[in-house]
Every structure is written in C-alpha cells, then in structure tokens.
C-alpha cells in the first residue's frame, strides 16, 4: 500500500526526459481517452458529431431551397417567353388569315367584275385559238418548195375564213394558182379536197384571188358546169383531180397555204 502511494507520488512529480515537469493532469480528458481506448465515444464527441450533422442537414436544406427557387424563377422566365412567343404567333396567324380573306374577297370581286370576266374569256379564247394554230406552226418543216413559193398542205378540215386566218398566222395566204404547172404541182400533192385562195364573196360572179388580183379567164380550171353558184357558193375549192368548184365558204375542207419567196 505504501509502495503504491510512493509510486503514484513519484509518477505525479516525475520529470519528463527533457527535464520538464509534465502538464497538470486532466481527469476528464483522461476519462475520455480511456473510453476511447475502450472503443466508447465521449458525450462531447457525440454532441459535436450530432451538431455537425444538424449543421450539414441545415446547409443541404438551404442549398436545396436556393436551387429550387432558382429553378422556379427559370421556369417562370421560360414560361413568360413561351407565352410571349405564342401570343406573337397568334397575332401573326390572325394577320395571315385576314390577308387571305381580303384576297379571297378581292378575287370574288374581280370575278364579279364584268370587264375582268370578259377579259378572261377573251384570253381563254385567244389561248385556245393559239393552241389550234400551234399544231400547224409546229409542222412548218413540212412546207414544200415549188418554183418561187413554199406550200403547206394542211389536212385539218376548216372553213375558208379559218383557213385564211391560219395561213395568215404563218405569214402566208391561201394558194393562188396562175399557171397550169402550179395547178399540176398542187394536184400531185393533195390528199383531200382543198380550199384555194379564190372567192366572189365581195361581188357575185366577180372572182378574185386573195392577193387582190382578178381571176384571169385564160388561166382557170373550173370543173365543167362550175361555178354554178348553187345556193350561196362564194369560195373556191380544188377537187382531187385538180379541177375547181364554187362551194359554201362555211364548208369544212383541207387547205393549202402559200408563202411567196
Ligand atoms: C355540185 C357542186 C356544189 C356541191 C356542193 C355538187 O354536187 O356539183 O356544184 O358546189 O355539190 O356541195
Ligand atoms: Ca358549185
């Protein structure tokens, strides 16, 4: 017992290796260390850890709230942008709708306008006219050269006036025959009964060529008994054998156009 106390006293006042007196003993610290040695935690450590945990949780909560507020304000901002875009789009849509309606009313107004309507109809008839002439113009390569003239033998059947019009469209006239060899050349090329450029429409019995010259009584090839003026026959045709006949100008025949060189 005495020995133990002595030892204890010695231990208390012992100097360390460098000759310093050891620090005053801290019983609490020593208990804590002892508990640590035994694998136990002191309440102070526990409270500190708990405090840290609470602090961390509060910090996390604060950060989460801040982030959520940021997201909410961003969502609000995007939503406002979207709403603005939507309203712009709606107003543009309204504008386009109004323009379409205005145009529609303009169009129906134009259609109800008689002048415009007439112009459209005229244009349509002009177009169909051009289309009908186009088929003839397309076959321009089929013009045949004889002596001083080019001849085009059109096989579509049309009236005398129409034939003249189509020849004129191609810069030509219905054929004028002032010699036997031209008559023979023409006869050799025809495949149907054709109009020739001879008429007495201006004055009955007074036959004129489309070039304005009078029919030469020495150069004419009427079939025997013609022209008989049967009914109202003011235009001349050529039969397949080359002879001529007066016939109604509204008959529909093939035609021969002539272009002088
Ligand atoms: C006559 C012609 C007449 C023709 C009318 C013939 O039978 O001989 O003179 O122009 O008919 O289509
Ligand atoms: Ca006749």
């Amino acid at each position: 017992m005495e020995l133990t106390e002595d030892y204890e006293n010695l231990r208390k006042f012992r100097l360390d290796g460098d000759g310093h007196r050891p620090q005053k003993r801290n019983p609490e610290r020593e208990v804590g260390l002892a508990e640590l040695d035994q694998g136990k935690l002191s309440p102070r450590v526990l409270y500190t850890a708990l405090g840290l945990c609470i602090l961390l949780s509060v910090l996390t909560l604060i950060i989460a709230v801040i982030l959520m507020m940021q997201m909410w304000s961003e969502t609000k901002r995007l939503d406002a942008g979207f709403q603005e875009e939507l309203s712009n789009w709606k107003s543009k849509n309204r504008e386009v709708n109004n323009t379409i309606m205005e145009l529609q009313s303009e169009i129906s107004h134009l259609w109800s306008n008689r002048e415009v309507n007439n112009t459209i109809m005229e244009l349509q008839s002009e177009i169909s006219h051009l289309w009908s002439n186009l088929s003839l113009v397309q076959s321009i390569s089929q013009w045949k050269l004889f002596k001083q003239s080019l001849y085009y033998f059109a096989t579509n059947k049309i009236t005398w006036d129409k034939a003249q019009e189509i020849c004129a469209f191609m810069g030509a006239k219905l054929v004028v025959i002032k010699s036997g060899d031209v008559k023979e050349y023409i006869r050799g090329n025809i495949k149907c009964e054709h109009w020739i450029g001879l008429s007495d429409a201006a004055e009955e019995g007074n036959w004129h060529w489309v070039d304005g010259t009078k029919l030469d009584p020495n150069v004419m090839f009427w079939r025997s008994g013609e022209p008989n003026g049967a009914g109202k026959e003011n235009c001349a045709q050529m039969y397949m054998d080359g002879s001529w006949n007066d016939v109604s100008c509204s008959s529909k025949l093939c035609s021969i156009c002539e272009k002088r060189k």
Side-chain angles (χ1 to χ4, degrees), residues 226 228 233 239 245-247:
E226 305 295 345
N228 60 357
E233 299 185 327
Y239 283 126
N245 170 43
D246 60 340
V247 72

Side-chain angles (χ1 to χ4, degrees), residues 186-215:
I186 300 290
R187 188 196 57 77
N189 281 279
I190 57 177
K191 295 191 174 56
C192 41
E193 293 180 356
H194 282 71
W195 287 122
I196 57 172
L198 186 62
S199 125
D200 71 341
E203 191 189 340
E204 180 61 32
N206 194 0
W207 292 89
H208 275 84
W209 290 106
V210 287
D211 65 359
T213 56
K214 221 173 152 9
L215 175 65

